[in-house]
Amino acid sequence: MFTGIVEELGEIAGIEQGAESAVLTVRGPLVVSDATHGASIAVNGVCLTVVEHDAEQFAVDVMAETLQRSSLGALGVGDPVNLERAMRADSRFGGHIVQGHVDGTTTITARTPGDKWEVVRFDLSDDLARYVVEKGSITVDGVSLTVSAVGRDDEEAWFEVSLIPTTLDLTTLGRKQVGGPVNLEVDVLAKYVERLLTPGMVR
């Protein structure tokens, strides 16, 4: 489990493409400092398992399912990525419950600069829109964020987040432009509540 508090802005150091999978090598000296074989590290919000590592970088296997459901397949060598190690049981819970299980991808549709922050708008598919509420939590490329607004234009749903200078400086969200793809993970608690309240779903 993760919290959505990015620890390090890493970089894709290598990509080995397979027929239906890939091996990513990621540079991240901080997150790899205490890594072991089999450790979990979230890369742009996707929980991946360390298969090899040294003092500077680590390698992970990315299966077809992950490539299809996330934006990892669009990454190239040199691209920055958000990195977070799995949460320790005795550490502070700074964000919200993040599983590292991406629910889908979307794109940035607008960026509106403010005085010391920036409002960023994203498209939202109908199958995920029901889980997103104003002032609720959402994970975008592994970053725990508070939804500042939700809406619908011409039958297309959207949501907005307000990014503070720290988030703009220390995560990929400060660099991605309009049209850039991102991974989304909605609040898992909302999905459990839906299941519990849907007649016939719980037996």
Side-chain angles (χ1 to χ4, degrees):
M1 188 175 75
F2 305 90
T3 69
I5 304 300
V6 172
E7 297 184 275
E8 182 175 19
L9 191 61
E11 181 181 292
I12 299 298
I15 301 174
E16 182 182 335
Q17 295 285 358
E20 295 184 342
S21 64
V23 177
L24 299 183
T25 301
V26 185
R27 185 180 182 279
L30 174 61
V31 298
V32 84
S33 61
D34 60 352
T36 58
H37 185 276
S40 295
I41 296 178
V43 179
N44 277 359
V46 182
C47 179
L48 298 172
T49 301
V50 175
V51 294
E52 292 181 6
H53 69 90
D54 57 27
E56 292 289 321
Q57 56 192 29
F58 62 96
V60 290
D61 292 317
V62 186
M63 298 295 99
E65 171 76 4
T66 304
L67 292 173
Q68 292 168 5
R69 286 184 173 267
S70 76
S71 64
L72 294 187
L75 292 173
V77 173
D79 284 347
V81 287
N82 298 320
L83 302 176
E84 182 190 356
R85 289 169 288 189
M87 179 185 177
R88 288 174 40 149
D90 61 349
S91 62
R92 286 188 174 90
F93 202 140
H96 72 283
I97 296 173
V98 177
Q99 295 182 297
H101 302 161
V102 170
D103 291 303
T105 61
T106 190
T107 57
I108 298 171
T109 58
R111 302 189 71 113
T112 306
D115 180 19
K116 293 184 178 180
W117 66 89
E118 190 166 350
V119 177
V120 183
R121 179 176 288 194
F122 304 86
D123 278 333
L124 188 59
S125 62
D126 286 337
D127 61 324
L128 296 182
R130 64 183 183 271
Y131 303 119
V132 181
V133 297
E134 187 173 338
K135 305 305 179 185
S137 296
I138 194 166
T139 309
V140 180
D141 266 359
V143 184
S144 173
L145 297 168
T146 299
V147 177
S148 57
V150 293
R152 184 175 291 271
D153 293 331
D154 298 326
E155 302 305 317
E156 294 292 332
W158 54 263
F159 74 96
E160 291 180 341
V161 296
S162 297
L163 303 182
I164 62 174
T166 298
T167 305
L168 292 170
D169 290 341
L170 301 181
T171 76
T172 60
L173 298 183
R175 296 160 172 77
K176 288 199 172 181
Q177 301 302 309
V178 171
V182 294
N183 295 317
L184 291 183
E185 181 184 331
V186 298
D187 191 345
V188 67
L189 298 181
K191 292 192 285 187
Y192 279 124
V193 169
E194 179 186 56
R195 179 174 174 80
L196 289 169
L197 296 179
T198 302
M201 288 289 290
V202 181
R203 299 183 184 280

